[in-house]
Amino acid sequence: MTPQDRADRSTAAMWANDNASKWAGMTIVGVGEGRATLELTVMPEQCNGHSICHGGVIFMLADSAFAFACNSRNQSTVAQHNMISFIAPGKAGDHLTAVAQEISLTGRSGIYDVKVINQDGTVVAEMRGMSRAIKGQLFDDDTSEGGAT
């Protein structure tokens, strides 16, 4: 199985059970080993009292992209901690794209950077996520190295 095949199968397995990302209106644009891109169009009900996209919605998009990137090797992986910086507001109707990229993977710990941009290319937020591999896989794969032990 190629790394791309493994990433595709891992994504399909996660997406099948990811009710939160679907509920928020996210779509998966693409995945690969250690990377993922998700999109979301901001709905009026996702805006706060300042009429801008709620930070939790932007964080959720970044966190979901991070999750798909760090689970792309079919090794069950969860967030250990992360930090987000909000740079520009999102507004109702904005089309946000979160691009997650693996920076480092050592043993059971990974570091991922996620950039959220709008339809004009304006950076809305940047997040750094730290992951931790746990026991288990997303699908049965006897050929998987699992990426961590």
Side-chain angles (χ1 to χ4, degrees), residues 100-138:
Q101 179 64 51
E102 184 177 271
I103 302 303
S104 173
L105 182 61
T106 305
R108 294 175 52 204
S109 299
I111 301 172
Y112 296 79
D113 282 343
V114 185
K115 185 174 286 195
V116 180
I117 61 170
N118 69 13
Q119 66 280 355
D120 299 322
T122 301
V123 177
V124 173
E126 291 191 2
M127 185 184 97
R128 173 152 280 190
M130 282 55 159
S131 67
R132 188 74 171 165
I134 59 174
K135 291 181 181 181
Q137 294 180 314
L138 300 165

Side-chain angles (χ1 to χ4, degrees), residues 14-43:
M14 277 188 56
W15 187 252
N17 295 315
D18 188 347
N19 295 322
S21 295
K22 289 182 232 177
W23 169 79
M26 295 179 207
T27 57
I28 299 171
V29 176
V31 295
E33 188 175 69
R35 60 183 169 77
T37 303
L38 275 70
E39 294 178 332
L40 165 78
T41 298
V42 180
M43 298 176 282

Side-chain angles (χ1 to χ4, degrees), residues 3-84:
Q4 184 62 52
D5 291 338
R6 186 168 288 112
D8 290 340
R9 287 193 62 192
S10 296
T11 297
M14 277 188 56
W15 187 252
N17 295 315
D18 188 347
N19 295 322
S21 295
K22 289 182 232 177
W23 169 79
M26 295 179 207
T27 57
I28 299 171
V29 176
V31 295
E33 188 175 69
R35 60 183 169 77
T37 303
L38 275 70
E39 294 178 332
L40 165 78
T41 298
V42 180
M43 298 176 282
E45 57 270 20
Q46 294 172 320
C47 293
N48 62 21
H50 296 289
S51 297
I52 59 175
C53 185
H54 193 288
V57 173
I58 296 168
F59 178 84
M60 187 177 186
L61 175 62
D63 188 52
S64 289
F66 163 59
F68 283 96
C70 66
N71 280 277
S72 62
R73 290 183 176 84
N74 193 30
Q75 171 65 51
S76 294
T77 305
V78 296
Q80 186 173 33
H81 64 274
N82 47 51
M83 181 187 82
I84 192 164

